[in-house]
Structure formats: C-alpha cells, structure tokens
Amino acid sequence: MKLRKTLIAVSAIAALSATVLTGCSSGGDSGEKNSAGTAALTIAKPDGAITTESHNPYLGDSSASKYGYAKVIFEPLALVNPTGDLGTTPWLAESVEWNDDYTQLTVVPRSDVKWSDGEDFTADDIVFTFGMIQSGKLTDTSSLNIQDIAVDGDAVTITFGDSKYTAQGRVLHTPIVPQHVWEGIADPNTDPLTGEGLAVGTGPYVLDNWSTESVTLAANKDYWGGELAVPELHYVSYGDNAALTTALVSGDADWAQAFIPQIEDSFLAADEANHFLVSPTAGAGTLFMNLQTEPFDDPALRQALAWTIDRQAYVDVAREGASTPVWSVTGLGDLLADEIVADYEGEVYEVDIDKARQILTDAGYTWKDEKLVDPDGTPVTFSISVPAGWSDWNTEQALIAEELDAGLGIEVKVDQPDWGGWDAARQEGTFQAIIHWLEDTGNAYGLYTSTMDPKWIVDGKAQFNFGRYDNPAVTEALNTYANASSDDDRKAALAVLEKAFAEDVPAIPLGSHPLLGEYNTRNYDGWPTEEDQYASADPTQPAVVQILSKLKPVE
C-alpha cells in the first residue's frame, strides 16, 4: 500500500545540495537575466487579472494562493507526492513518523533553518501553527481535528481526533508560519499580510514586488536548502489558455499548469526545448450515474456500459493524451495497482459489445429497430451533463453518446448547462449522468469514498457519491480502511470495497485525473520527467519548492 507509516531521515533529501549560480547558459535567452547571467523564470496562469493583494497562505482567494507563490514563501513539514511513487519527503521536518493508526504524528524540525527575516525556525513555530488550528483562531478548513500538541526534546507530537491515513497530505502540507510574526495578527483568517515585514517564510523565495500585472519574488539568499539556480520568479496571470499558450511559445512565460488543446502543434512543435508532463494521480475523471432513477437503478445496465465505453478514446481524443485509461473492474488506476486484491488482479474491462449485449439480454432487455428497450418495454435513453466550456469532458460526452448509440442502441442526450445549473443538479440529485472528478487521498479510499460513501450526503445534498449509493457493509469497510491500524485490516476492507464496486458498478472511472505542467529547458535542467516523476510539473503544487531546489543552469 502507498503512503504507509514511514520514518524518513534527513538523508532522504541529501540530493538537494546547493546549486551554485554560474555564467550564461547556452540554452537560449528566454527570460530576463541577472548580472551573473542566469535567467529568471516566469510562472504563468490563465485566470485573468488578479487585482487584490494578499499574501496569506491560508486564504484560498488570496493573490498568493491564486498565483501559487504562497508555496515558495511558506513551506510545509513534508511533501507528499501525488504521482510517481506517492512517497513522502521530509521538508521543514527532518523526520516524520505516524503511529500505527495514524492518529499521532511525530516530527523533528530541521535544524539551522532561518525565517527570511533572520530569526531561527524552531519547534515552537510548528506548535504555534498547529495550535492556531487547535484553538480555533485559524479555521480548520482541512478538518484536521487536532486534540493535543506535545513537545519532547526536539520532537513535536500532534494528536488527532481521528485517523489521518487518508489525509496525510492535508496534515503535512499545512504551511508553517513564524510565531514571532503571527502572534501579533489578530485574525489569521482575514489578514491580507500586506503590512511591512509580515510576508515572512522559510521558503526559497521572498516577496520583492507586487502589482496587478505581475508579482516578483527574489531568491532567499539564506535558504536552508542551499544556493538557488534561479535568481528570480515572475508570476503572471493571462486572460485565458490561448493567451497563456502564446506566452509559452514566445518565451514570455516559462512554466505553467494548463490544459492546452492541440498541445503538440500549438506548443511542443514550436521549440524542442518545450516540454509537457502529464502526471497521473490517484483521482480519475469519472462517469457518475444517478442510481436512484431509471435507467441507472439497474446494475445490469451499468455493467453493460462499463463494457462499452472506450477509456482509451477518452485519453486519446477527449484528453488529447493528457491522462491514462482506467480499465480495472475495481476502478483503480495503474498508480494504485498494488492495492488491487488478489481476486481482481488482471480483471479488466475492454470494449466488448457482444459481452455488453449478452448482459442486457440476460437481464431481460431487447432491441426494437436497433434501439435498446428495457424489460418494461421502454426505450432506454438518458442525458449526460457537463458544464459548457469544459472542452475535454464536452468531447467525452459526444464520444459516449456515439459509443452507446452504435454499440447498444442507447440514445444519449448531451447536456451542457452553465456551472450554476450543473452544480445544483449534482448536489440535489436531479441529473441522470455527469462526468466529475474524485476525492484524491493518494490511495484507494479516494475512489471508494467518492462513489459509495453516504457521509457525503448532508441535508439531502451531495458533495461526492452523487449517485447516492448506500450499502451498510461497504460503509463499514470504508470506515475500517480509514481507521485501521494495520495493512492487513485495510486489505480485508479493500476486498469488500472492490467486490462491491466490481459487481454494482456505482460509477465508471474513465482515466486518471492528472496534474499537468508545461515548461522549457532553454535555461534550466532538473525538471520532473516521465522517467523521474519525483514530483508533478505543476507549479501550483507544494512540491514547487522541491523542483526549484533541483533546477540547475543548462551548461
């Protein structure tokens, strides 16, 4: 299983040795250069103008969060890789260790780390940060449910009210802030942190200039991770994906996270130094069906669909290669293959129309004028809803409609409402089918809680489990998986979950929901690649600090 209990020593990141700034690179002249000849990096987003200044890392609508630069100022205890090996790398902590049931986390803070104002980083800063959450001074938006914080020598032990096995990233990615600054902040939930000397972190970069056009950060000269190759970061937000693509091709932007249509022709072909990395995660783009209404209240129909929908077409056509197909009957993608129990190893769907038709025939379905008719004599038809403008999933709607019409004689209506109408329908259960993402917990729990857990239905509204699947044995297995103190107990719970998912088909995962990154190697090497996914190449993720620590000038 991934993300298991781990004791990881400081040697795990010994490779992050200092990179000395050198002379002019030979890989092109994209980006402004400092006096030493090394280039700045421009990190771009397609979100339009960001007009309000706020450097608070805890506010989702702050400019620091929207641009992503909060993550290079304020660092976490450890980095949990959402792709690759799904491993954990200590960061501000020299080591992290969970107890058997993941209700306690013990961390030892890294020594010789300084805040960007020159003050020492200590265990007190960790205690203070999590103490704000425990006391309620800082809203517990990540549902950490902290019960106690204790210090024993250099070690800090945080006790939680429930297991954090499925939420390790939420805990470990909490931005750590300096007590000597934040103890003077009256309300950390609202303060924009724009006052003099407030945007203080341990990260590799410090705020240099903020404007409504761009934000500039300079390398932290006293960074604990060593001297940085990239002297300066520029954060810019463009009006849309088209403008961002133009900036990437022209060299005005160096690094971005965006879904770019026809990326081979529009970006990669423009320069051999341009790269696009697709990093599969444990989440997946998924077809959710309303199990409470016809025709999806019949598991036979759901099974037939699972043998008809072409996941490779989803990857190749709808996602233009920016995904990986999910074929396992368990719904788990390749990244979680080691969580598939023995009974379902190698048990995969394929496009098999004959098998799908036999399932339907055995369940009493017939065909009239090549159209599928249910056992009550009613033609089978339904709609799939995805917001207008979600181009990849809009394409998948058309693909599914074509596949089911040609293969099974089902008329599928394509519905593309605005966001508000779609959101209301998915919560209230007034849809027939939608395409949606999953809760990504870095393990199998994310898929199964997203598709089969009644806990998501509150006051009649769903946040996940949109089909409203309800099976007491599955609910018990979900709770066991989340709270178990051994891998054996989790494996036993998985057997229940995978059997129910394979037999009941409460949803149909189509392909991994990846993290995307576009970058160029004109000036710097050391980026994540398909062969070495030590992180995703998404600059908005916590591991941006790890990438920036690994970059080195092109020789």
Side-chain angles (χ1 to χ4, degrees):
M1 299 201 181
K2 303 293 186 181
L3 292 179
R4 66 186 77 239
K5 184 175 76 168
T6 163
L7 176 62
I8 313 172
V10 62
S11 59
I13 60 167
L16 298 182
S17 55
T19 303
V20 179
L21 297 178
T22 63
C24 224
S25 75
S26 60
D29 56 5
S30 170
E32 299 175 8
K33 300 202 176 177
N34 67 359
S35 58
T38 46
L41 279 180
T42 296
I43 300 173
K45 294 196 74 180
D47 300 335
I50 298 174
T51 58
T52 303
E53 181 179 6
S54 173
H55 313 304
N56 191 325
Y58 299 119
L59 305 184
D61 62 352
S62 70
S63 58
S65 297
K66 288 181 176 179
Y67 276 117
Y69 64 81
K71 292 181 173 61
V72 301
I73 296 176
F74 303 97
E75 297 184 298
L77 293 174
L79 301 172
V80 179
N81 191 358
T83 190
D85 64 359
L86 301 180
T88 298
T89 300
W91 206 251
L92 279 183
E94 287 190 356
S95 63
V96 299
E97 184 176 16
W98 293 94
N99 68 346
D100 287 342
D101 64 1
Y102 288 79
T103 57
Q104 281 191 337
L105 170 69
T106 299
V107 299
V108 175
R110 190 173 298 282
S111 59
D112 300 324
V113 175
K114 290 186 178 296
W115 295 101
S116 56
D117 62 1
E119 296 288 329
D120 288 337
F121 161 74
T122 69
D124 290 341
D125 297 304
I126 299 174
V127 173
F128 173 80
T129 297
F130 286 97
M132 285 195 299
I133 300 172
Q134 181 190 13
S135 69
K137 183 176 182 180
L138 180 63
T139 302
D140 187 8
T141 56
S142 295
S143 301
L144 300 188
N145 192 16
I146 298 169
Q147 301 298 302
D148 184 61
I149 305 170
V151 180
D152 183 7
D154 291 333
V156 177
T157 298
I158 306 168
T159 301
F160 305 93
D162 54 335
S163 172
K164 297 303 169 188
Y165 181 79
T166 64
Q168 294 173 61
R170 291 210 303 270
V171 176
L172 295 172
H173 290 164
T174 301
I176 306 300
V177 296
Q179 178 179 2
H180 68 277
V181 174
W182 282 67
E183 62 188 358
I185 295 175
D187 186 357
N189 298 292
T190 60
D191 197 301
L193 229 67
T194 52
E196 185 68 28
L198 294 184
V200 173
T202 59
Y205 291 84
V206 295
L207 188 66
D208 185 53
N209 183 67
W210 195 97
S211 75
T212 55
E213 287 75 35
S214 66
V215 182
T216 300
L217 289 92
N220 181 352
K221 295 179 180 179
D222 297 318
Y223 183 52
W224 63 267
E227 200 167 5
L228 296 152
V230 182
E232 201 169 78
L233 302 178
H234 300 158
Y235 283 83
V236 179
S237 184
Y238 293 89
D240 53 32
N241 278 356
L244 181 142
T245 303
T246 299
L248 285 169
V249 171
S250 68
D252 288 339
D254 301 293
W255 191 4
Q257 169 269 319
F259 180 77
I260 299 176
Q262 292 87 48
I263 193 168
E264 179 66 43
D265 295 332
S266 61
F267 173 63
L268 296 177
D271 191 329
E272 64 180 9
N274 290 345
H275 298 274
F276 175 50
L277 183 63
V278 178
S279 299
T281 68
T286 299
L287 179 69
F288 280 84
M289 299 160 285
N290 192 334
L291 312 185
Q292 308 307 308
T293 63
E294 294 181 346
F296 297 116
D297 55 351
D298 183 0
L301 179 77
R302 305 196 297 265
Q303 290 168 2
L305 265 57
W307 285 100
T308 304
I309 294 172
D310 189 348
R311 280 70 149 187
Q312 193 63 52
Y314 170 78
V315 171
D316 294 341
V317 181
R319 292 289 300 172
E320 298 186 33
S323 183
T324 52
V326 177
W327 288 108
S328 172
V329 298
T330 66
L332 299 176
D334 292 343
L335 207 61
L336 298 176
D338 67 345
E339 292 208 62
I340 297 175
V341 299
D343 286 350
Y344 292 104
E345 287 181 0
E347 293 294 317
V348 296
Y349 291 114
E350 58 183 305
V351 177
D352 189 336
I353 304 302
D354 290 340
K355 185 176 183 70
R357 283 178 167 256
Q358 189 62 55
I359 291 170
L360 292 170
T361 298
D362 292 345
Y365 289 77
T366 57
W367 282 264
K368 182 178 181 181
D369 298 328
E370 299 185 357
K371 298 300 181 182
L372 183 65
V373 177
D374 72 17
D376 294 328
T378 304
V380 177
T381 181
F382 61 86
S383 65
I384 297 180
S385 181
V386 173
W390 291 16
S391 58
D392 52 344
W393 286 355
N394 292 155
T395 300
E396 179 60 14
Q397 287 175 287
L399 287 174
I400 291 176
E402 181 180 338
E403 291 162 0
L404 297 185
D405 181 35
L408 302 181
I410 298 175
E411 180 189 3
V412 178
K413 301 172 185 176
V414 172
D415 178 34
Q416 297 182 359
D418 61 21
W419 161 264
W422 182 78
D423 179 44
R426 66 173 178 158
Q427 290 191 54
E428 296 164 6
T430 56
F431 67 94
Q432 287 188 291
I434 60 173
I435 302 175
H436 201 281
W437 55 90
L438 301 175
E439 174 88 336
D440 182 6
T441 60
N443 45 44
Y445 182 82
L447 166 66
Y448 297 129
T449 187
S450 295
T451 57
M452 299 192 292
D453 198 338
K455 77 174 185 180
W456 295 107
I457 317 298
V458 179
D459 296 330
K461 293 188 176 182
Q463 297 304 310
F464 279 106
N465 187 17
F466 303 106
R468 288 168 162 75
Y469 181 93
D470 192 354
N471 179 330
V474 168
T475 302
E476 182 181 358
L478 283 164
N479 292 333
T480 297
Y481 184 98
N483 295 288
S485 57
S486 74
D487 283 349
D488 286 343
D489 288 344
R490 284 192 193 89
K491 193 170 184 178
L494 277 174
V496 175
L497 297 172
E498 293 177 18
K499 184 176 188 292
F501 196 88
E503 292 181 355
D504 293 344
V505 195
I508 301 175
L510 303 168
S512 63
H513 199 58
L515 295 169
L516 309 177
E518 294 89 9
Y519 60 86
N520 68 67
T521 54
R522 287 187 284 274
N523 293 300
Y524 297 104
D525 282 329
W527 303 90
T529 63
E530 284 190 15
E531 294 73 28
D532 183 15
Q533 295 223 26
Y534 65 85
S536 78
D538 181 344
T540 69
Q541 296 297 306
V544 61
V545 293
Q546 188 176 20
I547 297 171
L548 289 163
S549 297
K550 284 179 174 285
L551 292 184
K552 57 185 183 297
V554 171
E555 296 180 359

